[in-house]
Amino acid sequence: EGTENERLAHYGLGWVYHKQGIYHWAARSFGRAITGEDETSRKALYYKAVNEKLSGRYDLALGSFQEFGRRFQDGFWIEEAYYEWAIVSFEIGDYVAALETLLDLVRSETRLQNPGQVFTLLGEAYFANNEFARAIEAFEYAEQITDLDPAIKRQAQFQRGWVLFQNQAFQTAQPIFENVYNDDPRGRLAGEALFWSADAWY
């Protein structure tokens, strides 16, 4: 007790609880490893928030992600923390907060490692907030990223088709759904894409 080893022990114990799926205990242990602004504290705060989210304590997770945003504006795991923070806001139905978090991230000087993932979630948040034109723009941007994981690109493309379909632009949406299906006929989105392609024709 009272040494740096105690803090590292709490951090390690957090991982043990996390691996066992005891997320509320993991969050508590990671919380005990936060003592300042150093690397261990940054990691512990991030994992504390993630485990609060996994345990269904979105109120606590939101507070921890907000604290992370206040404490750290650059360096590692900024993108991951802001992305998870936006997901928490999105899942509790606070689409405006999700948009603000994602826009803060994309407007920052952070070089995004997974821009397609970020812009796809941005599009989904715009769509949920009934901002359809901006949703389409975000999905189109995600599709245009050259080194994007094909699965994420298909997801963005499907979501763009869905926004158009919801706005009754059936002729524009149909070839998008068809393309998602043709690109990966056995993929996760294939069945839905084929169904909505047919429905758009109808």
Side-chain angles (χ1 to χ4, degrees):
E1 290 186 24
T3 68
E4 176 65 10
N5 287 337
E6 180 187 4
R7 184 167 77 120
L8 295 176
H10 284 303
Y11 183 82
L13 191 57
W15 273 111
V16 173
Y17 289 138
H18 175 82
K19 293 290 186 183
Q20 292 177 327
I22 312 172
Y23 301 122
H24 61 290
W25 286 5
R28 184 180 63 186
S29 291
F30 284 124
R32 289 178 177 169
I34 303 167
T35 60
E37 313 296 319
D38 63 322
E39 181 175 321
T40 300
S41 292
R42 179 190 288 244
K43 290 179 178 180
L45 180 54
Y46 174 77
Y47 287 123
K48 174 178 180 280
V50 167
N51 280 278
E52 286 166 344
K53 176 184 171 228
L54 290 171
S55 67
R57 294 301 310 270
Y58 284 1
D59 54 336
L60 297 178
L62 206 53
S64 294
F65 281 125
Q66 288 167 346
E67 183 183 349
F68 189 98
R70 284 192 300 271
R71 284 180 151 191
F72 308 107
Q73 281 80 47
D74 53 30
F76 67 92
W77 289 357
I78 296 294
E79 178 180 347
E80 292 82 353
Y82 273 72
Y83 181 77
E84 292 288 344
W85 179 1
I87 286 178
V88 172
S89 297
F90 187 91
E91 289 183 352
I92 65 174
D94 191 347
Y95 307 126
V96 173
L99 286 168
E100 288 173 353
T101 302
L102 290 167
L103 289 172
D104 283 347
L105 175 61
V106 299
R107 290 170 180 162
S108 72
E109 296 181 1
T110 302
R111 187 176 181 279
L112 299 179
Q113 300 299 312
N114 296 293
Q117 180 176 268
V118 171
F119 278 95
T120 298
L121 182 58
L122 181 63
E124 290 173 2
Y126 273 132
F127 177 70
N129 204 45
N130 296 318
E131 297 181 61
F132 303 120
R134 288 183 173 176
I136 291 170
E137 287 175 8
F139 290 133
E140 284 177 339
Y141 186 85
E143 287 179 68
Q144 291 165 10
I145 298 169
T146 53
D147 58 348
L148 184 62
D149 180 340
I152 295 175
K153 186 170 282 196
R154 280 191 295 274
Q155 176 71 27
Q157 194 174 27
F158 179 87
Q159 292 294 91
R160 182 165 63 91
W162 179 247
V163 173
L164 291 164
F165 184 92
Q166 289 292 95
N167 283 277
Q168 300 184 358
F170 304 120
Q171 287 184 324
T172 309
Q174 188 281 323
I176 295 172
F177 289 131
E178 187 174 343
N179 189 56
V180 171
Y181 173 77
N182 289 335
D183 195 41
D184 189 13
R186 291 195 174 92
R188 183 176 61 84
L189 293 170
E192 282 189 86
L194 187 60
F195 176 85
W196 292 115
S197 174
D199 205 16
W201 275 121
Y202 177 76

